[in-house]
Amino acid sequence: MNVFRLTGDLSHLAAIIILLLKIWKSRSCAGISGKSQILFALVFTTRYLDLLTSFISLYNTSMKIIYVGCAYATVYLIYAKFRATYDGNHDTFRVEFLVVPVGGLAFLVNHDFSPLEILWTFSIYLESVAILPQLFMISKTGEAETITTHYLFCLGVYRALYLFNWIWRFYFEGFFDMIAIVAGVVQTILYCDFFYLYITKVLKGKKLSLPA
Amino acid sequence: VIGRTHHDEL
C-alpha cells in the first residue's frame, strides 16, 4: 500500500458515495446513465468473486463489499426507486458494443486461462470503458449537473492515481501487471477531455455545458 | 513479479 493507491481508492469511494448521495438527496437520477452504473455493477461483481476464495486484508475485503454494495444500491435507485426520473431517452449507448468485444478480449488476452482469472480480466477491460455511456449521455444532452461532474472527476482521478501506484510498485516492488496498466491508461485517457472541461469550467464556478 | 499471482488491488 502506497499513498497513490490509498488516495486512489478513497477517490473511487468518494465518487461512488457522491453519486449515491446525489440521487438520494435530490430523489432523482436525471442526467445519470443507468447503463454505465449497470456496467460498474458487473465490473465489481466479476472482479470481486475472489471474496469467496481468498482473503487479502480487512481493508481489501471491506472496500470490496462497500464497492459492490454501493454499485447495486445505485442501480436499484435508478431502475426501481427513482425510475420515474431516469432519463432513458438520452441513455442510448449500445452497451453490447462494449461488453461483447471486451468479453472476447478477456478470453484472448489474460494471465491465466481459468474462469476466475478470465472474469477478473473481463472486469478490468470493462471498467476501462464502462463510463462511455455516461460520457455519451452528457455529449447528447450537452450539459451535466455540477455534482455529476464532481462524481466523474473523482472517478477519473482514481484510475490516474492507480497509474502512479503502478509506477511506484514497479520501482519499489518489481510488481508489473500489463493488463491492468494498459486498461488503466485507456481508462484515464477517456477522461482527459472531461478533465479539461472540469478544470476550465466547473472549477471556475461555471456549469458544464457543451457548445451546441 | 510479472503478471498477477493474487488480486491485492481493488
Side-chain angles (χ1 to χ4, degrees):
Chain A
M1 180 67 81
N2 56 64
V3 66
F4 301 113
R5 162 77 200 283
L6 183 63
T7 47
D9 286 349
L10 294 178
S11 179
H12 197 182
L13 184 64
I16 292 169
I17 302 286
I18 286 171
L19 182 63
L20 260 181
L21 282 180
K22 172 218 156 18
I23 298 175
W24 186 255
K25 294 267 181 191
S26 68
R27 322 290 291 171
S28 163
C29 57
I32 301 301
S33 165
K35 291 185 175 180
S36 274
Q37 295 310 314
I38 287 179
L39 291 183
F40 282 124
L42 186 59
V43 162
F44 290 136
T45 308
T46 49
R47 187 174 310 168
Y48 298 155
L49 286 172
D50 64 349
L51 274 171
L52 308 170
T53 61
S54 57
F55 179 80
I56 313 263
S57 65
L58 189 59
Y59 170 83
N60 192 282
T61 300
S62 30
M63 289 296 259
K64 284 174 176 172
I65 292 173
I66 293 170
Y67 286 177
V68 175
C70 288
Y72 279 97
T74 306
V75 169
Y76 165 75
L77 291 185
I78 295 173
Y79 285 98
K81 194 162 177 62
F82 302 126
R83 188 185 184 96
T85 64
Y86 169 55
D87 195 7
N89 288 337
H90 287 123
D91 194 11
T92 50
F93 194 94
R94 300 279 297 271
V95 289
E96 60 270 34
F97 292 156
L98 296 179
V99 174
V100 173
V102 156
L105 192 61
F107 265 92
L108 292 173
V109 184
N110 52 56
H111 293 310
D112 177 33
F113 200 77
S114 65
L116 268 188
E117 192 60 30
I118 290 171
L119 285 171
W120 177 86
T121 312
F122 171 78
S123 84
I124 292 289
Y125 293 153
L126 185 60
E127 184 190 346
S128 69
V129 292
I131 201 60
L132 285 177
Q134 180 66 60
L135 296 177
F136 181 70
M137 193 172 178
I138 291 174
S139 74
K140 264 194 104 176
T141 60
E143 57 177 23
E145 283 180 58
T146 299
I147 187 74
T148 306
T149 65
H150 296 329
Y151 160 71
L152 279 169
F153 183 74
C154 289
L155 199 60
V157 161
Y158 135 70
R159 219 47 173 173
L161 286 166
Y162 257 72
L163 296 182
F164 292 105
N165 158 57
W166 290 322
I167 294 169
W168 177 286
R169 292 193 71 177
F170 178 72
Y171 278 108
F172 294 103
E173 299 169 29
F175 176 89
F176 180 77
D177 186 331
M178 190 53 109
I179 287 177
I181 291 170
V182 171
V185 168
V186 169
Q187 188 168 339
T188 305
I189 287 173
L190 291 182
Y191 284 85
C192 283
D193 189 39
F194 167 77
F195 284 152
Y196 174 77
L197 291 172
Y198 186 82
I199 291 165
T200 57
K201 288 197 170 182
V202 180
L203 288 186
K204 290 183 178 156
K206 287 182 256 177
K207 188 180 163 76
L208 191 142
S209 57
L210 305 172
Chain B
V1 187
I2 303 292
R4 196 167 258 267
T5 47
H6 58 277
H7 307 273
D8 67 337
E9 289 179 345
L10 293 169

